Amino acid sequence: MIFQKKLSKMAIFSYLIIDQQTNTCALVDPAFDTKELLDEIRNRGLHLKSVINTHSHADHIAGNASIIDKSRAKLMIHRNDVRTMNTFMNKLFARILGGRKSPMPRRLLLDNDTIQIGTIKLKVIHTPGHTPGSICLYTDGNLITGDTLFVGAVGRTDLRGGSHQQLINSIHKKLYTLPPETIVWPGHDYGTMPSSTIQQERETNPMT
Ligand SMILES: [Zn+2]
Ligand SMILES: [Zn+2]
């Protein structure tokens, strides 16, 4: 199951992907409020196995250090976004937001990789455009989209490494081809609802 948590700054959503059979979980994009996120994991009696970043922007990785310090979770990000995790600007931004420099990932992800969380198989879908190493995560009718696809919007492409053409290609070829009932879980709460479906975005998203 997917647990969505809206963080206290910048309308960010972090996610827990929970395998109820083994009480294990993965945490996606811990930017802030890391104590609340760890409390949530503890209160549910879960073991945190992985921390996965959908991309390297500070508002998605600023909490990596504090989570990794307090758990044995393995940090993962797409290979194309490793170099930008700790650029001067990203570290500065993370500090301004109350976070810290990220530790280095222990696993570099590629398109089509599988991340095992207990009995759950999470599929990595490489969706470059917002950043060169942006990924979406798919499991069993659920799609976590980071800053690639929002409810009624798409990620900005005017930052370093961004490409609007690539972003639209990624969305059309790799996301809109998923089953229409797939639930879309975005990286920010920018829409009229906190989640959506592939069908709804395909039919109504004005930016795609
Ligand atoms: Zn971003
Ligand atoms: Zn973001």
Side-chain angles (χ1 to χ4, degrees), residues 1-4 13 15 122 125 136-146 149-151 175-176 178-187 193-201:
M1 68 164 282
I2 306 287
F3 171 77
Q4 182 187 54
F13 285 130
Y15 293 93
L122 191 63
I125 305 175
C136 296
L137 299 164
Y138 179 81
T139 182
D140 192 27
N142 293 284
L143 180 72
I144 293 176
T145 55
L149 180 65
F150 300 123
V151 177
L175 303 186
Y176 282 1
L178 292 169
E181 66 278 10
T182 303
I183 301 171
V184 172
W185 301 100
M193 295 181 305
S195 66
S196 176
T197 62
I198 285 295
Q199 178 169 16
Q200 184 182 326
E201 294 314 307

Side-chain angles (χ1 to χ4, degrees), residues 10-13 15 55 59-60 146-147 150-151 186-191 194:
M10 299 177 70
I12 291 168
F13 285 130
Y15 293 93
H55 62 293
D59 59 320
H60 297 257
D147 284 2
F150 300 123
V151 177
H188 291 268
D189 190 14
Y190 290 159

Side-chain angles (χ1 to χ4, degrees), residues 14-168:
S14 282
Y15 293 93
L16 290 178
I17 302 163
I18 301 168
D19 177 34
Q20 289 169 307
Q21 290 190 47
T22 59
N23 289 324
T24 53
C25 69
L27 174 57
V28 179
D29 289 353
F32 322 110
D33 304 337
T34 53
K35 185 182 176 306
E36 285 86 340
L37 289 168
L38 288 169
D39 284 348
E40 186 72 44
I41 291 166
R42 192 175 318 114
N43 292 341
R44 288 169 177 264
L46 300 171
H47 298 287
L48 177 63
K49 295 289 186 194
S50 312
V51 173
I52 309 164
N53 296 138
T54 58
H55 62 293
S56 63
H57 287 156
D59 59 320
H60 297 257
I61 72 168
N64 282 354
S66 115
I67 298 282
I68 296 295
D69 274 1
K70 296 183 185 72
S71 69
R72 288 186 183 161
K74 193 175 191 178
L75 182 62
M76 309 180 188
I77 194 166
H78 190 276
R79 186 162 78 176
N80 295 1
D81 263 24
V82 178
R83 278 185 306 272
T84 45
M85 289 179 96
N86 286 316
T87 58
F88 176 76
M89 285 309 290
N90 227 26
K91 281 190 285 189
L92 183 68
F93 191 37
R95 271 204 301 277
I96 291 168
L97 296 171
R100 273 187 287 144
K101 171 182 190 287
S102 176
M104 276 294 106
R106 282 167 55 200
R107 178 171 169 190
L108 300 185
L109 300 169
L110 291 171
D111 190 38
N112 247 324
D113 275 358
T114 299
I115 302 167
Q116 192 83 34
I117 306 154
T119 61
I120 293 178
K121 284 186 196 311
L122 191 63
K123 188 183 163 198
V124 174
I125 305 175
H126 182 210
T127 50
H130 176 65
T131 64
S134 281
I135 56 169
C136 296
L137 299 164
Y138 179 81
T139 182
D140 192 27
N142 293 284
L143 180 72
I144 293 176
T145 55
D147 284 2
T148 296
L149 180 65
F150 300 123
V151 177
V154 300
R156 58 190 291 184
T157 50
D158 56 332
L159 301 170
R160 177 174 157 174
S163 158
H164 187 70
Q165 192 54 53
Q166 256 189 342
L167 180 84
I168 295 300

